[in-house]
Every structure is written in structure tokens, then in C-alpha cells.
């Protein structure tokens, strides 16, 4: 292994140990210093929030941080409390929620909607064909092929040439 890879692995392991230590130290508390945030909370937030929220090329450390649920909750609480969404972000969130609800409604209504369209199409086709038949636009002739073949056969059997009987 190259020196760069060794150094990268060492830094990653140290960062994992640091995240685990912070997670253990925070425990179930809301902030590191108790009920109100202090300087340590601000410093930890300053390092962890970008690591959690920014898109990164190598996501190993970010994935490890996501596994520390109490640190993620810590970051989210501070973001909600001290960095409220702008009106544009709130509007975008509202639109996303509306699209999600609309899509869910379409999915849940889909089977009945499709069945209703098929039934309506069949009803319309039946009505149009019935109208065409009743008004004479379309005429249907029923030909009995068996009956016409039997008549021809009977006529052939009754025909006796005049010169051969004698």
C-alpha cells in the first residue's frame, strides 16, 4: 500500500473514533453541556453539520456519522432551532409534499380509474354500434350457406337430361 492510502486509512479510523466518542459523550442528552447549547455544541455542530449535509465523493465517514443517530438528531435540532428555512425553502417543501400526496392519491386510485375507463369505452362502443345498426348506417346480411347448398343439390338431382331416359 502507498503512503497516501495508509495515511487516509489512519485519518478515517481516527475520525471514526472521534465520532464514536462524541456520540458516547452526548448520549441521550439534547446538548453536550445539558439543556442549553454552549461553545462545545457550536464547535461540534460546525464540524459535523457539513459532514452530514454536504454531498461528498467518499461517503464512508458520512455513512458512519449517519449511523450515530444521536449526533444526527443533535445536528437536526440545532438546524431547526437556529437556522429556520427561508420562505423559498418552505415553499419548495410545501410543493414537494403536495406532489407526494398527489402521486400517492393517483397510485391508490389507479386500479378503479383504469377499470372505469375500460367500462366507459366498452359502453361507448356498444352505443355507437347499436346506433349505426338501428339507423341503417351499417347493415348486416345473414346468409345461410347450408340452405343455399342444399337447394342447389336438390335442383341437380331433379334435373334429368331428356335424351338419356329412353
Amino acid at each position: 500500500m502507498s503512503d497516501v492510502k495508509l495515511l487516509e486509512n489512519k485519518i478515517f479510523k481516527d475520525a471514526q473514533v472521534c465520532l464514536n466518542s462524541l456520540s458516547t459523550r452526548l448520549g441521550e442528552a439534547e446538548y453536550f453541556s445539558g439543556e442549553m447549547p454552549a461553545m462545545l455544541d457550536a464547535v461540534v455542530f460546525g464540524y459535523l453539520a457539513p459532514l452530514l449535509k454536504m454531498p461528498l465523493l467518499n461517503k464512508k465517514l458520512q455513512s458512519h456519522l449517519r449511523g450515530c443517530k444521536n449526533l444526527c438528531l443533535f445536528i437536526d435540532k440545532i438546524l431547526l432551532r437556529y437556522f429556520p428555512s427561508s420562505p423559498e425553502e418552505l415553499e419548495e417543501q410545501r410543493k414537494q409534499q403536495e406532489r407526494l400526496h398527489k402521486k400517492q392519491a393517483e397510485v391508490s386510485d389507479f386500479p378503479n380509474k383504469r377499470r372505469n375507463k375500460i367500462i366507459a369505452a366498452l359502453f361507448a362502443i356498444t352505443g355507437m354500434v347499436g346506433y349505426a345498426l338501428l339507423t341503417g348506417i351499417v347493415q348486416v346480411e345473414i346468409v345461410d350457406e347450408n340452405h343455399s347448398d342444399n337447394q342447389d343439390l336438390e335442383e341437380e338431382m331433379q334435373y334429368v337430361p331428356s335424351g338419356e331416359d329412353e
Side-chain angles (χ1 to χ4, degrees), residues 110-135:
F110 180 73
N112 295 335
K113 195 174 189 179
R114 185 175 185 176
R115 182 199 66 205
N116 292 344
K117 284 182 180 180
I118 292 171
I119 291 172
L122 290 174
F123 184 76
I125 290 170
T126 304
M128 286 187 278
V129 169
Y131 176 79
L133 288 172
L134 289 175
T135 58

Side-chain angles (χ1 to χ4, degrees), residues 154-162:
E154 288 175 7
E155 289 174 4
E156 286 178 16
M157 292 175 77
Q158 291 176 1
Y159 175 73
V160 179
S162 61

Side-chain angles (χ1 to χ4, degrees), residues 135-147:
T135 58
I137 296 172
V138 175
Q139 294 179 354
V140 178
E141 290 183 29
I142 300 173
V143 177
D144 189 7
E145 291 181 17
N146 292 335
H147 180 23

Side-chain angles (χ1 to χ4, degrees), residues 91-107:
E91 182 64 22
E92 182 62 32
Q93 289 174 356
R94 187 187 63 75
K95 287 179 182 178
Q96 285 178 352
Q97 287 177 349
E98 283 179 7
R99 284 189 293 251
L100 179 65
H101 290 301
K102 194 175 190 181
K103 188 178 281 188
Q104 288 174 344
E106 287 175 1
V107 168

